[in-house]
Amino acid sequence: MADGLDEKVALVTGGGRGIGANVARELAQAGMRVAVASRTREQVEQVAQEIGGLALAVDVSDEGSVARMVEDTEADLGPIDVLVNNAGVGGPPGSPPIWENGDPDEWWRVFEINVRGVYLCCRAVLRGMVPRGEGRIVNVGSGGGYLPPTPGGSGSTAYGPSKAAVQRFGEVLAAQLQPHGIAVFTISPGLVRTALTEGLGDDAPWTPPELAPRLVRALATGRADRLTGRYIHAEHDDIDDLAARADDIVAEDLNAIRLRR
């Protein structure tokens, strides 16, 4: 295959629908052997059947469930070359402000899935990647983790902060893994129309749904590994341009979230 991905193995969490399902399809089209994981087995079975992949049920917030997912993937498909951490939740819609009647357990559940889930999946997969000295991890972030909030707005106080944590986690992990030849990226898929965002309506500035999967495919090839630890936007960044300017981007600390004074 032109991408060099033929017969390589990818594991995509949150792959039963929306962005994750489209990423799984894109990687399969590139020739990869893909395991698709989600809490909803019926959804992943449908996607896996469509792409000739492996369907797995997983609770990414549960250590044992994640370990079984990784073990089953490697037993069936082989060592994992690419992990895509897409599983995530946005929190209950219409949640009241935290000083009213919000449920602390529901609030914390967003972090358990969005942050602990990424941590557990990375931890489990890296136990194979590090000894092999190769692999790539793509964490799906969100503009909710860095865009300015609307004064008086009703946005979740859990979702945005959880995605900010994913970005910083990925950046620090990338630095730890550089001596081991493993790249870690955080991407923003843009405002993709999914079940999570459907409530924004027809007039929202929707991002074409094919852009995030194409970006993940490009990152899976390794041609942008010099950008490990960087934050890459599926709609606003041209990955080929970034890869060509990678040395300057690293030297100038671009595509990063920083406090500027």
Side-chain angles (χ1 to χ4, degrees):
M1 302 291 290
D3 288 333
L5 296 175
D6 195 22
E7 293 302 308
K8 289 187 178 293
V9 176
L11 170 59
V12 181
T13 69
R17 60 183 181 178
I19 295 168
N22 286 334
V23 167
R25 294 182 182 106
E26 183 76 22
L27 296 180
Q29 186 179 30
M32 298 193 77
R33 306 172 72 193
V34 183
V36 191
S38 173
R39 288 193 64 130
T40 308
R41 178 172 287 278
E42 293 77 13
Q43 287 180 335
V44 288
E45 284 179 343
Q46 181 177 348
V47 175
Q49 183 176 14
E50 175 189 338
I51 66 174
L54 175 67
L56 298 168
V58 66
D59 175 359
V60 296
S61 69
D62 180 83
E63 183 177 1
S65 182
V66 169
R68 287 189 296 274
M69 172 186 69
V70 172
E71 290 168 4
D72 290 346
T73 299
E74 297 194 329
D76 197 285
L77 302 180
I80 296 167
D81 299 290
V82 177
L83 167 66
V84 182
N85 279 311
N86 176 70
V89 295
S95 298
I98 62 170
W99 61 87
E100 293 183 0
N101 296 318
D103 184 340
D105 291 332
E106 285 186 349
W107 188 90
W108 186 242
R109 182 63 177 159
V110 176
F111 281 83
E112 288 182 323
I113 296 172
N114 293 2
V115 185
R116 176 181 166 87
V118 169
Y119 163 82
L120 289 175
C121 290
C122 288
R123 182 171 179 260
V125 167
L126 285 169
R127 288 174 171 171
M129 286 184 177
V130 169
R132 295 195 307 272
E134 60 181 359
R136 294 174 185 94
I137 295 172
V138 180
N139 298 324
V140 177
S142 169
Y146 64 86
L147 292 172
T150 303
S154 58
S156 169
T157 57
Y159 177 74
S162 74
K163 289 299 186 177
V166 167
Q167 182 275 328
R168 185 58 173 170
F169 168 79
E171 187 175 34
V172 173
L173 183 62
Q176 292 179 345
L177 288 169
Q178 275 191 308
H180 301 282
I182 297 165
V184 183
F185 309 94
T186 302
I187 71 164
S188 176
L191 187 58
V192 180
R193 194 163 196 162
T194 66
L196 188 65
T197 59
E198 183 64 36
L200 297 175
D202 293 336
D203 295 331
W206 298 112
T207 298
E210 66 272 13
L211 296 186
R214 288 177 185 171
L215 174 58
V216 174
R217 178 173 175 167
L219 296 175
T221 67
R223 67 177 187 259
D225 280 359
R226 182 76 175 91
L227 298 169
T228 184
R230 300 290 146 180
Y231 196 104
I232 304 172
H233 197 287
E235 184 172 15
H236 303 311
D237 286 320
D238 180 327
I239 188 59
D240 291 323
D241 173 67
L242 292 185
R245 298 188 295 112
D247 288 343
D248 290 339
I249 288 169
V250 172
E252 297 175 24
D253 198 24
L254 305 177
N255 283 80
I257 299 173
R258 299 286 184 261
L259 175 65
R260 303 296 186 190
R261 294 192 185 279

